[in-house]
Amino acid sequence: MRRLRWYWGALVLACVVLLAGLFVFFGSESKLGQPQPRQGPPGTGPLTVVAMGDSTVSGEGAGQYTATTNGQGGNWCHRSPNAFVDKIAIPGITAHVNLGCSGAPAEQVALGDVKQWTEPSQAQQLAALVKDHRVAAVVIAVGANDEPKFSNQVTDCFKAWFNVGGPPCSTALKQTWQSKVDAMVPKVATAVSDVKKVLASAGYVPADYQLILQSYAAPIGPDLPEDLRSLNGCPFRVEDLRWISQTGIGVLSAGLKSAAQQTGARFLDLAKAGVKHEACSGGANPATEWFTRLTLQLADLGQADRAGHALQESFHPNAAGHAAIANCLTEFIAARDGNASCLAGADGKLHAAPEVVAR
């Protein structure tokens, strides 16, 4: 009988040891036969956040542009070390890469032969980057330079301010803006899809990284001092500023959200991000503003190759604006899922307010 007891005891002990070995091999929370999810992006190199897109991304307006993107060899991408991508602070992410280029259309972000200020496809640049970087997040802001041609609309509104007897620029925009945004959406969706293709080709699966499409903030609002509604700051009609900030930016954001939904990207809405911090809103105290006023680089006017870019920084997020956006993006990336809007909190900073999904 003792021998039998010993036999069963030894058998039970052997089973316990075997099961313990299985738990060590497969993981205590894994089912037998199912591999553990890998930890983070594949490949080698530093964990990286990448920004792609146009002037909102590159840092146009934030100053201190890198020499190679400040006119050298015809490159006017205007990348700034003050751009939001360099200010994002996520534990574990040690590299910040800015592929954005001022004026870039969606087709230059996508795969293809379209160039912007001498630079090739940003998606192709990303393909080269993933060879020695592990990409944890990609933030994209693009579309305004496609059919909406936002900078052209700002120019038209500037001309309308001069033309006192003529109609406001918003009169024409009200008739065409929605169709322009609708035509933009598939181009943005293609660009986002191409970014996904590049990462998939490098062995990434959706769980390895976050893909974020963000919208634009209104750089100017209707509530500004009358003395600054001039060449001293923001020469626009009140009715035009009201339409842009209250309607135009919202329609543009809705179109970009549609592109995000089509491609499975997370969406970060910046439509209200600049409220009370727009260009000229600070009056005599421009330090409170997150966007540049009408900005003219006088030194560039005397150089033929730079004169055409002397106004390029106007009405873009400044260094303070990029820092505010970075705070919102840091929270958004840390949340890991869902959509959100960048809204000012009681502390005066921008925070990522999660989207409330109706049931």
Side-chain angles (χ1 to χ4, degrees):
M1 182 64 69
R2 288 179 184 171
R3 185 177 299 171
L4 186 59
R5 251 193 239 120
W6 177 89
Y7 171 80
W8 282 109
L11 184 60
V12 169
L13 180 61
C15 289
V16 169
V17 171
L18 177 61
L19 285 172
L22 286 173
F23 272 95
V24 169
F25 185 79
F26 289 106
S28 61
E29 295 179 4
S30 296
K31 295 181 180 179
L32 298 182
Q34 293 184 353
Q36 271 283 77
R38 63 186 179 211
Q39 298 300 308
T44 59
L47 206 58
T48 306
V49 59
V50 181
M52 306 173 69
D54 53 31
S55 57
T56 298
V57 175
S58 71
E60 183 75 76
Q64 297 182 313
Y65 310 111
T66 59
T68 55
T69 65
N70 192 26
Q72 190 176 105
N75 187 325
W76 289 94
C77 285
H78 266 181
R79 289 197 194 98
S80 169
N82 298 317
F84 67 71
V85 66
D86 289 300
K87 308 299 180 183
I88 293 171
I90 299 291
I93 291 181
T94 58
H96 304 75
V97 177
N98 190 350
L99 299 179
C101 184
S102 186
E107 287 183 311
Q108 194 259 339
V109 174
L111 292 167
D113 299 325
V114 175
K115 292 185 177 182
Q116 178 65 20
W117 301 128
T118 75
E119 292 203 359
S121 156
Q122 291 180 36
Q124 290 174 358
Q125 294 179 56
L126 178 65
L129 180 73
V130 295
K131 293 177 181 179
D132 54 13
H133 287 70
R134 299 170 66 232
V135 175
V138 179
V139 183
I140 305 170
V142 75
N145 294 310
D146 290 286
E147 280 77 5
K149 298 192 181 302
F150 196 78
S151 61
N152 288 2
Q153 310 308 337
V154 171
T155 299
D156 287 345
C157 292
F158 178 41
K159 292 177 180 177
W161 174 79
F162 274 104
N163 187 12
V164 179
C169 70
S170 53
T171 300
L173 283 173
K174 289 175 183 177
Q175 306 301 316
T176 61
W177 190 243
Q178 185 65 63
S179 62
K180 290 176 184 293
V181 171
D182 290 344
M184 170 205 75
V185 172
K187 293 182 179 180
V188 173
T190 295
V192 176
S193 295
D194 281 356
V195 169
K196 294 175 67 176
K197 287 179 185 177
V198 165
L199 293 173
S201 295
Y204 285 67
V205 296
D208 289 331
Y209 67 100
Q210 292 189 52
L211 182 62
I212 298 165
L213 181 64
Q214 70 176 45
S215 64
Y216 299 86
I220 327 167
D223 301 321
L224 67 163
E226 189 63 27
D227 63 319
L228 287 178
R229 213 161 49 80
S230 65
L231 293 175
N232 290 326
C234 299
F236 301 98
R237 296 186 183 187
V238 171
E239 59 265 50
D240 289 336
L241 296 178
R242 183 175 293 113
W243 185 87
I244 290 171
S245 63
Q246 296 180 1
T247 302
I249 287 291
V251 172
L252 182 58
S253 287
L256 290 166
K257 183 177 182 179
S258 175
Q261 291 172 332
Q262 291 175 32
T263 55
R266 298 179 68 197
F267 179 66
L268 183 61
D269 190 356
L270 270 68
K272 302 295 183 183
V275 173
K276 295 184 180 180
H277 293 279
E278 302 97 334
C280 297
S281 63
N285 184 21
T288 64
E289 298 167 11
W290 291 347
F291 299 84
T292 58
R293 300 179 178 187
L294 182 65
T295 303
L296 176 64
Q297 295 296 339
L298 291 172
D300 288 348
L301 293 178
Q303 304 176 54
D305 60 334
R306 303 185 68 85
H309 302 274
L311 289 167
Q312 191 169 317
E313 296 173 283
S314 302
F315 310 115
H316 284 86
N318 57 25
H322 275 274
I325 293 169
N327 190 76
C328 180
L329 262 168
T330 295
E331 291 184 0
F332 187 61
I333 293 172
R336 299 199 63 80
D337 58 18
N339 298 333
S341 297
C342 286
L343 300 174
D347 58 0
K349 296 181 179 180
L350 279 184
H351 297 281
E355 178 183 60
V356 178
V357 180
R359 294 184 178 180

